Amino acid sequence: MCQNHGVVYMGPGEVQVQEIDYPKLALGDRKCEHGVILKIVSTNICGSDQHMVRGRTTASAGLVLGHEITGQVVEVGRDVEFIKVGDIVSVPFNIACGRCRNCKEGKTGICLNVNPSRPGAAYGYVDMGGWVGGQAEYVMVPYADFNLLKFPDNDQALAYIKDLTMLSDIFPTGFHGAVSAGVGPGSVVYVAGAGPVGLACAASCHLLGAAVVIVGDLNEERLEQARSFGCETVNLNTDVELADQIAAIVGVPEVDCFVDCVGFEARAHSHGGSSEEQPAVVLNQAMEITRAGGAIGIPGLYVTEDPGAVDGAAKQGNLKIRFGLGWAKSHCFHTGQCPVMKYHRQLMNAILYDKIKIADAVNVQVISLNDAPQGYADFDKGAARKYVIDPHGMIRA
């Protein structure tokens, strides 16, 4: 009888739940004494996963997906000192050694030792080190003492699990986007994209004290979700210019802070009534509507290779942006993966002390592991939900 099943990328547009190997405390041929094996409590479907499943990356068939992991420790390596069997923990999607220069500087999203191809690694993701993903029943996590966030109490963790499962990625990522855009008390903020990261960012802006949070998207269902927790919204599926819609809300056609939660598959509304892919449209909107001296946070994913891009330049990650405008307005741009460990403990406390209801903001829907392929399909159609996989029935129980 198989002890482990996982969600496997089969090729563009297809994922399957298959039998996969039970994880070992091993890195290739050598023992991984600094690692642990987790029984998955929850594992989430991410918009970044969708880029691979749509065929918009160079991911190969057979990849076990999943980088948003919360689990219970069932086995520990000999060198693990502070994490114990039975602990419930959040796993940052960034895999980090804790020893290299970047890790010691807190830049855990670009660890130098966990990916032979380039700085930075993640579970179940293309070009990110070949680590097995966590949309499964069990997974191995290396450098456990450094990487894992232990929850203070297991019963409390399970009571808050729909919120705490967001700590592995989208809550810190959205928060990071807001922080890097300079959001603070009284800020007027525009968040591009009302997917789960955009909604998490909008909720984070409120947590940081923003006066007005405006969310823009082409999907009215997702905009309704943003309005459900106090955001202003603009529907980009209209001929009215974004700057004019901003002015209608705050009186001027600009904002203090801009956060791009869309990334390289961005679409712009065309006057013919449909949307067409324009991978640089959000970046150019950011420079247009951010005030002089403002900041632009870019947690939305941009890739170095996109086989499905609209032109040859974009296939190599070369986008046509009006950078001169951003220079003239003295904009600050901040890109790259969120260093989850920079934020996850503080955000855990915000959840446990009822300062934020992040699961409500992103509209969590719990599904079984076997329902994951349907979750991918529904998410790809624009469902205003965050799909949380419950492989062992622990959340429902």
Side-chain angles (χ1 to χ4, degrees):
M1 181 177 178
C2 178
Q3 294 179 291
N4 200 15
H5 295 81
V7 180
V8 180
Y9 170 65
M10 304 302 295
E14 184 180 4
V15 297
Q16 292 181 7
V17 177
Q18 296 185 349
E19 294 184 1
I20 62 174
D21 291 338
Y22 187 86
K24 298 178 181 179
L25 289 176
L27 295 174
D29 296 330
R30 64 186 178 90
K31 188 77 170 174
C32 181
E33 296 289 6
H34 52 68
V36 301
I37 293 174
L38 299 181
K39 176 182 179 180
I40 303 298
V41 175
S42 62
T43 177
N44 315 327
I45 297 175
C46 181
S48 298
D49 297 322
Q50 287 285 18
H51 295 309
M52 289 186 291
V53 174
R54 292 188 189 114
R56 298 299 297 267
T57 72
T58 56
S60 300
L63 178 68
V64 181
L65 299 168
H67 56 271
E68 299 189 7
I69 305 166
T70 305
Q72 186 164 29
V73 179
V74 295
E75 185 178 348
V76 300
R78 180 191 60 205
D79 296 338
V80 178
E81 293 188 66
F82 307 113
I83 300 294
K84 308 299 181 186
V85 171
D87 290 344
I88 297 180
V89 295
S90 179
V91 184
F93 79 89
N94 328 106
I95 302 171
C97 72
R99 297 160 167 82
C100 71
R101 173 181 177 174
N102 284 350
C103 284
K104 289 180 179 180
E105 292 177 356
K107 301 171 184 175
T108 53
I110 44 174
C111 174
L112 300 174
N113 289 330
V114 288
N115 183 353
S117 300
R118 66 186 193 193
Y123 304 90
Y125 209 84
V126 60
D127 295 331
M128 296 301 283
W131 298 86
V132 176
Q135 287 174 13
E137 294 174 286
Y138 297 89
V139 74
M140 196 278 283
V141 173
Y143 305 103
D145 280 328
F146 182 69
N147 280 298
L148 297 178
L149 174 66
K150 176 185 172 181
F151 297 136
D153 178 85
N154 282 7
D155 290 339
Q156 182 189 43
L158 291 172
Y160 283 88
I161 191 62
K162 292 180 184 178
D163 298 282
L164 293 173
T165 191
M166 299 302 133
L167 292 173
S168 57
D169 183 355
I170 69 163
F171 190 12
T173 293
F175 191 86
H176 176 63
V179 169
S180 59
V183 177
S187 297
V188 176
V189 189
Y190 181 81
V191 177
V197 170
L199 295 171
C201 178
S204 298
C205 291
H206 285 145
L207 188 63
L208 288 164
V212 183
V213 181
I214 305 166
V215 179
D217 204 288
L218 295 161
N219 183 321
E220 182 57 34
E221 182 184 359
R222 288 181 168 181
L223 291 175
E224 179 61 32
Q225 180 61 29
R227 289 191 290 271
S228 74
F229 59 94
C231 298
E232 300 288 340
T233 61
V234 295
N235 191 325
L236 300 171
N237 201 20
T238 174
D239 293 337
V240 180
E241 295 295 331
L242 175 58
D244 294 334
Q245 294 196 61
I246 298 292
I249 296 170
V250 295
V252 292
E254 62 182 19
V255 297
D256 301 315
C257 314
F258 188 111
V259 191
D260 174 4
C261 295
V262 179
F264 74 105
E265 285 193 72
R267 292 182 174 272
H269 175 68
S270 66
H271 294 294
S274 61
S275 60
E276 57 184 19
E277 189 165 307
Q278 295 183 16
V281 66
V282 175
L283 298 174
N284 286 319
Q285 287 174 341
M287 290 181 282
E288 177 191 357
I289 71 164
T290 304
R291 66 172 177 83
I296 299 166
I298 310 173
L301 175 66
Y302 289 86
V303 294
T304 55
E305 293 183 79
D306 174 10
V310 292
D311 57 48
K315 287 181 180 180
Q316 302 301 317
N318 294 323
L319 307 182
K320 295 180 180 180
I321 65 171
R322 193 183 173 193
F323 190 72
L325 178 60
W327 189 94
K329 296 173 77 173
S330 295
H331 285 156
C332 175
F333 298 80
H334 197 292
T335 68
Q337 290 184 37
C338 166
V340 170
M341 274 189 271
K342 183 176 180 179
Y343 308 105
H344 65 175
R345 185 174 300 278
Q346 303 95 306
L347 296 179
M348 174 189 73
N349 286 336
I351 290 168
L352 295 179
Y353 287 95
D354 297 314
K355 299 302 181 184
I356 190 167
K357 301 292 185 184
I358 192 66
D360 290 344
V362 301
N363 197 20
V364 162
Q365 180 171 333
V366 178
I367 61 175
S368 70
L369 186 63
N370 287 333
D371 288 335
Q374 187 61 50
Y376 269 96
D378 291 344
F379 191 27
D380 191 51
K381 294 174 184 175
R385 301 182 186 91
K386 176 66 173 177
Y387 290 98
V388 172
I389 301 170
D390 179 16
H392 294 281
M394 296 177 72
I395 301 176
R396 286 164 289 181

